[in-house]
Amino acid sequence: MTKKLIGPLEELTAATAHLRVYEPLDTFEDWAQSIILRNGQRSASHWDNYENQNLWERTLRDVSDPFPHNEIEHFRSLKVLDYEGNEHTRNCPGQLKARSLLAAKQAEEAIRSEVFDLLVPPAARSANAERVTPEQLAADLTHLHTRTSTWGIPLSWFALFREDDEFEQIHQDDRLMTVRLIVPFEQAVERLAWAVQTLVTYAPQAPLFEELGALGSWLESFDRRSVIELDYGLLAEIVWPDESANDLMHGIQAIEDGDFSTAAAAYRRLTNRWLGPRHLGRAN
């Protein structure tokens, strides 16, 4: 029997950031469009609570099994304005089964096998393999709309954003719960292309170059009318206001200008800013 949680779930949840791509309705299959239209547009906070509740119910099962069982697909929605002031809705699927499987694979690579077998027993993995639909799982894994990062944000993500992009701060009483940055897909891809071109020309050995390339490969499969969102989650309470996007942009610009001392200073600011969250993650 699954235990029902009460109380503030954010107190139990790790500080996890999400990079999401929201696509137009007509890019989804008929079954997905039906769910989107039937469920209407619920708030991001609603889906945050929904996902956290399900996460902890799975975690606290009597038998260790972190995989989703009967959760139906859900879709976040985001309203945006085009350059002419017309409103459009974009959607992002939860893809929980695919994301849970990826998380399990990452855990398997990061921890000892005997510990992994305790957290994700072979029986749970076998049962999950029988529950998933191979075709849908394959489709989700090749077109995953959400990337996650716990106790930090990959520096490559900031290449998509600028300090003057649209953003939303979410408070609960006096507490900052999250900050969400939003940018049109094409604008973000142009920024990423500039960053990649600059590094391939002037600093191809930089570790960031490979990360930017992987990010670009991920984005290639999405519709150009999409919108990209960086959701800080509980990291916002630790780092906001955050100058990371600005520092990364100025650092890459300095590399393009041949000013490597300024670029190094920007990189130090970036890495030092995220040391605190990383240390908190290790402590937890």
Side-chain angles (χ1 to χ4, degrees):
M1 182 178 66
T2 301
K3 300 176 178 67
K4 183 69 174 179
L5 286 171
I6 59 174
L9 294 178
E10 65 272 5
E11 299 296 343
L12 302 173
T13 305
T16 300
H18 298 82
L19 186 66
R20 302 186 182 99
V21 179
Y22 292 73
E23 291 193 284
L25 180 67
D26 60 20
T27 63
F28 294 97
E29 296 181 16
D30 290 345
W31 66 266
Q33 292 189 33
S34 177
I35 294 175
I36 293 170
L37 295 173
R38 183 172 65 249
N39 290 345
Q41 296 174 12
R42 301 176 182 177
S43 70
S45 296
H46 167 86
W47 291 120
D48 289 343
N49 292 332
Y50 172 83
E51 290 184 356
N52 286 338
Q53 178 73 48
N54 285 341
L55 168 64
W56 284 101
E57 287 180 357
R58 294 195 304 273
T59 303
L60 297 178
R61 284 173 178 152
D62 292 332
V63 177
S64 183
D65 180 0
F67 294 106
H69 288 185
N70 301 315
E71 291 93 332
I72 61 172
E73 183 64 285
H74 68 279
F75 292 80
R76 292 173 178 262
S77 62
L78 188 65
K79 287 186 176 296
V80 295
L81 297 177
D82 62 23
Y83 293 113
E84 297 178 350
N86 301 312
E87 187 177 73
H88 304 275
T89 300
R90 300 292 182 256
N91 304 280
C92 178
Q95 297 174 308
L96 185 58
K97 292 181 179 179
R99 289 166 54 200
S100 296
L101 184 61
L102 286 177
K105 289 185 177 299
Q106 291 170 355
E108 185 176 15
E109 295 171 358
I111 60 179
R112 299 194 309 272
S113 59
E114 58 269 25
V115 177
F116 178 72
D117 285 343
L118 287 174
L119 297 174
V120 190
R125 304 200 295 270
S126 298
N128 183 64
E130 294 177 0
R131 280 192 301 268
V132 299
T133 304
E135 295 79 9
Q136 185 59 50
L137 179 63
D140 284 344
L141 289 173
T142 56
H143 195 58
L144 200 66
H145 286 68
T146 302
R147 289 192 163 195
T148 61
S149 178
T150 302
W151 295 111
I153 295 178
L155 300 186
S156 59
W157 292 10
F158 293 113
L160 305 173
F161 299 91
R162 296 290 185 268
E163 61 179 349
D164 57 350
D165 284 337
E166 179 184 352
F167 71 93
E168 176 185 25
Q169 298 184 54
I170 305 298
H171 290 84
Q172 187 176 88
D173 298 324
D174 294 331
R175 185 180 185 186
L176 180 61
M177 302 304 297
T178 189
V179 174
R180 298 186 178 100
L181 309 183
I182 301 169
V183 63
F185 185 89
E186 289 195 325
Q187 191 172 14
V189 169
E190 288 176 2
R191 294 166 177 173
L192 180 61
W194 168 73
V196 170
Q197 184 59 48
T198 299
L199 291 185
V200 76
T201 302
Y202 300 100
Q205 302 305 317
L208 184 61
F209 173 64
E210 185 174 343
E211 294 180 27
L212 293 172
L215 183 61
S217 297
W218 174 59
L219 292 173
E220 284 178 354
S221 66
F222 294 102
D223 190 277
R224 307 290 291 187
R225 298 168 293 164
S226 300
V227 174
I228 300 177
E229 173 191 76
L230 172 53
D231 185 344
Y232 278 69
L234 295 180
L235 286 168
E237 190 176 31
I238 305 171
V239 302
W240 193 263
D242 180 26
E243 297 293 327
S244 296
N246 196 42
D247 282 338
L248 184 63
M249 187 269 290
H250 285 301
I252 295 175
Q253 183 65 62
I255 291 175
E256 188 175 50
D257 296 338
D259 186 354
F260 292 100
S261 61
T262 297
Y267 184 75
R268 283 195 299 272
R269 289 195 301 272
L270 271 170
T271 54
N272 289 340
R273 181 176 298 118
W274 290 99
L275 280 177
R278 296 295 186 192
H279 290 325
L280 285 173
R282 284 193 287 269
N284 280 270

